[in-house]
Amino acid sequence: MEKATEQAHPLELSGSEMRLLVDAVMERIVAHIESLPDQPAHDLDGAAELARTLVEPLPETGTPHDELLELLFERAVPKGYNTAGPGYLAYIPGGGLFHSAVADLIANAVNRYVGVWLAAPLLVQLETNVIRWFCDIVGYPQSAGGVLTSGGSLANLSAIVVARRERLPDDFLSGTIYVSDQAHHSIAKAAMLAGFPPDAMRVVPSDGRFRMVPDELVRAIARDRSAGRAPFLVVASAGTVNTGAVDDFDTIATITQRERLWLHADAAYGGFFMLTERGRAVMRGMERADSITLDPHKGLFIPYGTGSLLVRDAGALRRAHELHAAYLPPMREGGEFVDFCQISPELSRDFRGLRIWLPLKLAGVAEFRRNLNEKIDLTRWATAELRGIPGMAIVAEPQLSIVAFRLERDGLDDAALDALNRELLERINAGKRIYLTATTVAGRFVLRICVLSFRTHLDRMEQGLADIRAAVAELTAD
């Protein structure tokens, strides 16, 4: 009977076929994860040429799974940034918990639809629990709500749409948005996609710690009001990509409340440090924001493709996204249950809540808190070690788990110093035990270390600092 089913319906695998495929995949995955500490932190050698060899027409017939797994794990996966490895200290790391991979296997296999409550009431409740946990972490009241998204960019887009609907009339083109000069580029993109012209954005200067200057914000708002514009939104950062800077939320919230502006916190990187005592101290006042973006695929180590938007008044989220159609089942009209399609841009969506719910339930939040505290400690340790290297300047002291630095030499102008640090970065990364990236801060090319992987511990940081010292020594000897 099983054999006949296989022949009649080849897309519907038998029990033995499913086990065989999963076992083959698991053998590869386990070997890959166990070898992560020994893999290079990055490998792009010959990547373009190899990518061209993968170009192919639409396959008419099938290929054995062992051949496909060989292609994936031996050729495709190794090339690129090793974002899951312990040496990835670039951009904002995303370790990718295996617990979440198991959750996705379950979610995709059962394939329940969670866009509306009626389709999967209990699974929707599990995802709703995750949102409530996030609200509790940031200090939001019971009136708050939110939605899981594909990442911070989509969360920021929805936040701007919500703010626009709550603070501006239908003719909103006179509205103005205020960000610091360190804000993530997704804010400008979100504003563009939300229909605002480029001249709606106001860039407020930052101070010596790369935080928005509140007095400059007040002056910018006053100028726009005098010019007949309609200030409506301030976006403050809880952990900028450049330096990890956290804006003064208490002061900015007082300004936005006085001016009746919407305050959005872009806490995609830093928000989950609210689980720690030091993180809460740095981000004091963020709970006063009207909306908050959090990225579980950063601070909770969940796989890429998992963001979230929280809104202090859950009703505002619904007012901005709610729409009805005759072919949809009955929706929850308020109360304890929610239809995700009524509070987000998505109707079709995956059950992404399970990839957060399962690891939190399996490990407990205390283990995540311990990991985040470790990342703060490692970054402070690295900063102290960098400070001990002759000629090394700390450009941005760590506020969370990012430190920005650069090598300085007397007698070199800005262009020469930038070139020196570009060379330093190349030499550090050439060892492939760690991977760092750079940015431009206050017109200067600087290197940065971001520690945010659950696989990064003191042993890898010691290796990284050894590589940095060696690279500096090489440049000094040249």
Side-chain angles (χ1 to χ4, degrees):
M1 183 69 179
E2 185 175 278
K3 186 174 182 180
T5 301
E6 292 174 13
Q7 294 172 345
H9 305 288
L11 292 182
E12 188 169 352
L13 302 182
S14 67
S16 60
E17 287 174 317
M18 285 188 279
R19 292 186 184 91
L20 180 66
L21 179 57
V22 171
D23 286 347
V25 171
M26 277 304 305
E27 184 177 355
R28 293 281 189 167
I29 289 174
V30 170
H32 172 76
I33 292 177
E34 289 182 341
S35 70
L36 280 172
D38 301 318
Q39 293 179 25
H42 63 102
D43 181 9
L44 290 169
D45 298 340
E49 292 79 3
L50 288 170
R52 294 186 186 101
T53 69
L54 299 185
V55 177
E56 61 178 335
L58 179 69
E60 187 64 33
T61 57
T63 304
H65 69 256
D66 55 343
E67 292 183 28
L68 300 178
L69 294 177
E70 179 81 12
L71 183 154
L72 286 171
F73 283 92
E74 300 301 324
R75 297 176 60 195
V77 171
K79 292 299 176 183
Y81 303 155
N82 190 0
T83 51
Y88 188 74
L89 306 174
Y91 302 110
I92 307 292
L97 288 168
F98 181 73
H99 316 57
S100 296
V102 174
D104 279 354
L105 174 60
I106 296 170
N108 292 337
V110 302
N111 198 32
R112 288 290 192 262
Y113 174 62
V114 295
V116 299
W117 180 86
L118 197 61
L122 276 70
L123 299 185
V124 171
Q125 185 59 53
L126 294 184
E127 190 160 322
T128 304
N129 290 352
V130 169
I131 292 295
R132 183 64 252 167
W133 297 341
F134 288 180
C135 290
D136 291 343
I137 288 169
V138 302
Y140 262 4
Q142 287 298 314
S143 61
V147 64
L148 298 180
T149 70
S150 60
S153 294
L154 187 59
N156 286 335
L157 172 58
S158 279
I160 289 179
V161 170
V162 173
R164 187 192 74 194
R165 292 291 295 265
E166 293 295 300
R167 292 291 187 270
L168 292 175
D170 290 342
D171 182 5
F172 57 80
L173 294 182
S174 64
T176 49
I177 302 168
Y178 303 85
V179 299
S180 87
D181 56 18
Q182 301 297 306
H184 195 274
H185 87 288
S186 65
I187 303 299
K189 179 182 283 190
M192 175 184 72
L193 294 175
F196 289 94
D199 68 356
M201 297 294 297
R202 300 290 183 269
V203 178
V204 180
S206 57
D207 60 19
R209 296 180 63 192
F210 307 103
R211 305 183 306 169
M212 180 186 291
V213 179
D215 288 345
E216 293 288 349
L217 172 63
V218 171
R219 284 190 279 271
I221 294 170
R223 284 194 299 270
D224 282 323
R225 290 203 192 280
S226 296
R229 300 298 294 261
F232 81 102
L233 170 64
V234 176
V235 180
S237 299
T240 63
V241 173
N242 278 341
T243 65
V246 177
D247 290 327
D248 182 352
F249 278 97
D250 255 341
T251 301
I252 293 172
T254 297
I255 294 169
T256 56
Q257 289 174 359
R258 182 179 69 234
E259 299 286 347
R260 299 182 61 79
L261 274 59
W262 186 279
L263 175 58
H264 176 61
D266 184 1
Y269 153 60
F272 284 109
F273 282 98
M274 289 286 282
L275 284 169
T276 71
E277 184 177 341
R278 288 173 291 184
R280 289 193 299 273
V282 171
M283 289 178 277
R284 185 178 62 253
M286 190 176 76
E287 71 280 358
R288 298 173 63 187
D290 296 288
S291 55
I292 300 174
T293 288
L294 299 172
D295 269 0
H297 63 208
K298 295 184 174 73
L300 289 186
F301 323 121
I302 306 300
Y304 292 121
T306 319
S308 65
L309 173 65
L310 310 180
V311 180
R312 170 178 282 277
D313 173 12
L317 198 59
R318 178 177 294 275
R319 289 189 290 272
H321 293 91
E322 187 174 30
L323 201 61
H324 295 277
Y327 48 79
L328 292 175
M331 299 290 164
R332 307 305 97 187
E333 299 296 337
E336 60 180 322
F337 301 125
V338 65
D339 296 288
F340 291 131
C341 70
Q342 297 292 67
I343 60 172
S344 79
E346 298 176 291
L347 179 57
S348 296
R349 66 191 300 277
D350 60 333
F351 178 29
R352 58 180 67 106
L354 194 63
R355 72 177 69 126
I356 305 169
W357 181 87
L358 188 62
L360 282 172
K361 291 289 289 185
L362 284 171
V365 75
E367 184 58 26
F368 290 85
R369 182 180 296 109
R370 187 195 67 78
N371 263 275
L372 290 169
N373 272 315
E374 180 192 30
K375 307 320 160 194
I376 294 174
D377 291 338
L378 290 174
T379 307
R380 294 184 177 184
W381 175 88
T383 303
E385 294 294 310
L386 288 168
R387 190 172 279 113
I389 299 174
M392 195 67 77
I394 304 301
V395 177
E397 297 282 346
Q399 297 178 43
L400 294 170
S401 70
I402 294 176
V403 57
F405 60 99
R406 78 189 224 134
L407 188 61
E408 295 187 345
R409 283 183 179 171
D410 293 336
L412 297 183
D413 61 18
D414 290 341
L417 284 173
D418 286 351
L420 176 70
N421 281 276
R422 286 190 175 91
E423 177 66 19
L424 175 62
L425 180 64
E426 289 182 10
R427 296 193 183 206
I428 294 168
N429 287 339
K432 295 190 176 182
R433 294 199 294 183
I434 62 170
Y435 184 62
L436 305 185
T437 46
T439 189
T440 300
V441 175
R444 295 175 293 173
F445 182 88
V446 302
L447 284 65
R448 53 189 294 288
I449 290 173
C450 180
V451 191
L452 199 63
S453 172
F454 65 96
R455 294 188 174 101
T456 301
H457 307 294
L458 182 59
D459 58 342
R460 186 53 59 111
M461 296 299 293
E462 289 175 333
Q463 293 174 14
L465 265 295
D467 288 351
I468 293 172
R469 292 190 192 95
V472 171
E474 291 173 5
L475 285 174
T476 302
D478 289 349

